[in-house]
Structure formats: C-alpha cells, structure tokens
Amino acid sequence: MNANSHRFSRIAGTGSFLPPNRLTNDELAAQLAAQGIETSDQWIVERTGIRARHFAAAGVNSSDLGVEAAKRALAAAHCQASSIDLIIVATSTPDMVFPSTACIVQQKLGVHGCAAFDVQAVCAGFVYALTVADSMIKAGVARKALVIGAEVFSRILDFKDRTTCVLFGDGAGAVVLEASDEPGLLASALHADGRHVGILCVPGHVSGGHVLGDPLLKMDGPAVFKLAVSVLERVARDVLAKANRTEADIDWLVPHQANIRIMLSTAKKLELPTEKLVVTVHEHGNTSAASIPLALDEAVRAGKIQRGDTVMLEGVGGGFTWGAVLLDL
Ligand code: UT7
C-alpha cells in the first residue's frame, strides 16, 4: 500500500433518478398498435415481469439523468461535489461520441479538474465501474468517487421490433464510493466473452459523417436468457468464495433488472428466499447500466437495505459481459 491507499472503499451514499414520463404496458401497446405492432400487457408481464418503464423527454440525455442521481447520492453521503476526485459513468447511450458523458456530468455538477471517464460494458457496466473505482481507491489514485449508471435506451430501440422495444427504459443511479479503513467492498469479479458480440448489440457506427449499419438495438433474447442464468450463479459463487463468505451471508441480492424469470432463477440457484431479492424491473423495465444502482437506491430509501447489510450486486449484458460485487453497506 502506498501512503495514500486505503484497505477498503465503502458506499457513503446512494441516489437515483427516473424521468417523469411513465408508460404502462397498455399505453405502450396502444402506441405500437397504431403502427401495426401487436403486443399486450399480459405477454410482457408473463414473460418479463415488466409493467411500466420511464422514457426521457426529447433533448434529455444520459448526463442529465446521471447528474440528478449524482446530486441525490452526494446529498445522502453529506458531501459536496467539490470533494469528488473521480467520476465514472457506466453507459451505452452516451450524450456524444466524445467527450465522455462523465466529463459532461462533471461540468453540469459545476466542478472541474478531477478524473472523469466512461465505462462501456452495457448492462454489466455498473459492476465494472464500481470495481474500477474500488481498485483506484485501493491504489491511492482516488479517495472519493462518484460512480454512476445512466441510460436513455429509448433512443436506440426499434419500435417496429416487439421482441425488444417493450423491454427497456431510461433512468440513472449513482453511489458515492469513498476510501475507508472498514469494509466496504469485499470482493468482485468481472468477465467478458466476445464470442457472443452478435447476440445483443447496436451494430451501427459513425463514419465519414454518416451512420453506417443499424443504429438500433438487436437482441437474440432466448440466447441472452440462457447465458445469463448460467453465468450469474457462477460469478456469485466465485465472489462469495473470494470474500470467504457463503450464500447464507447474503442479506440482499440486487441483480441487473432485465427479466423477473432470470432473477428468480438466480435466487433459487443460490438458495436465497425471494424476500432477499430486490426487484424494480416491474416499474423500470431494463435500464441497462442504470438498473443496479437504481434498484440499490430504491431499496436503501425504502429502508429495506440498511447499514451493515451484506449485498450482492450482479450485472450481465452485451459483450457478452458479466460480473458481481459483494459489499457490506
Ligand atoms: O439486459 C441484458 C440482458 N438481457 C436479458 O437478460 C434479456 C434476456 N431474454 C429475455 O428476457 C427473454 O428471452 C425475452 C423476454 C426477450 C423473450 O422471452 P422468451 O420467453 O424467450 O420469448 P421468445 O423470444 O421465445 O418468444 C416467444 C413468442 C414468439 O412467438 P412464436 O414465435 O412462439 O409464435 C414471439 O414472436 O413470443 C412472441 N413475442 C411477443 N408476443 C407479444 C415476442 N415479443 C413479443 C411481444 N408481444 N412483445
């Protein structure tokens, strides 16, 4: 350890923000029906657990949602934006090609000078970003980090494709992660398997002033489902072993919120009672990198997750990427 390094990082505060426009399944189905696309509240609820999602208004970007979540996390941590020395934003829907959304968030928070960058690991983005921030704090590179997941997936949805457009929503969540001599983050594991790039992607890119290829989300849902249920159990067990803990030590499981069936299957495999599972997918849909910090913050503010509780965070998504973080709040 160098002179500035600490043994641990810990979450000092959480925050989240949803854009006000809430769309129920019935409202979305009515809009899609007007374009000749057939879906129903019954199908969406039965196959995914989703009942509603929030969509950002035109002109509202990931940085706008991220800043609101960050301000709430800073208030909960009783700290000023000026005391932050690292900002990491996990997003796959950045405001611009560059600079990073983290730099835009920094500017909107009215601070300058600290390190700021984005992490792109799609729905595993938040556990990636949290692990990077934890490592930088332990290395003495930073003392107080804002780690944000922020997305406007509504911008990349193909509203002619009913197999994907009913699944996603917009939102942001954030935590303040600070150096500490007490735990804190206990262990984490990150993985990727690029052989599965094609099962969940937005294949378009900008070239010569044009978008080349399709700029809308494509997903082979059943293939993603199958991979997700197998990796989520494994990575949770790996992280428990690294931390010398067992399944029985988990007070709360906060998984990526994509599909209630995936979440229930993971809880069952880990032999966790469903009461320990934090579920927000019914109200948020899949908000990609924002889903875990959104769910964490809602559970903290509802008084469910309390200081001292042991929490398992798990992300999985395009890449294929996946990972988990075990922490004592
Ligand atoms: O965020 C990253 C992680 N992402 C995920 O974890 C998503 C993982 N995948 C899933 O959650 C599920 O695979 C889906 C929810 C996407 C799909 O559920 P499924 O049970 O795998 O359904 P399916 O794709 O096998 O489709 C079943 C049927 C099909 O009809 P046929 O071919 O059996 O006649 C679809 O055309 O359901 C049909 N269908 C729909 N029907 C009404 C697909 N989407 C819809 C829809 N409304 N929106």
Side-chain angles (χ1 to χ4, degrees), residues 39 43 47-48 123 162-163 221-222 224 256 258-259 261-262 286:
T39 188
W43 188 94
R47 306 313 294 164
T48 72
C123 305
R162 69 176 183 172
T163 69
V224 173
H256 170 48
N259 187 320
R261 293 185 290 139
I262 297 175
N286 180 346

Side-chain angles (χ1 to χ4, degrees), residues 32 38-40 43-44 47-48 122-123 153 161-168 200 219-226 228 256-259 261-262 286 288 316-318 320:
L32 294 173
E38 199 187 316
T39 188
S40 65
W43 188 94
I44 302 169
R47 306 313 294 164
T48 72
V122 204
C123 305
F153 257 55
D161 177 6
R162 69 176 183 172
T163 69
T164 53
C165 72
V166 301
L167 304 175
F168 295 88
L200 177 47
M219 178 166 75
D220 177 347
V224 173
F225 192 106
K226 223 188 283 172
H256 170 48
Q257 308 281 317
N259 187 320
R261 293 185 290 139
I262 297 175
N286 180 346
S288 193
V316 58
F320 201 69

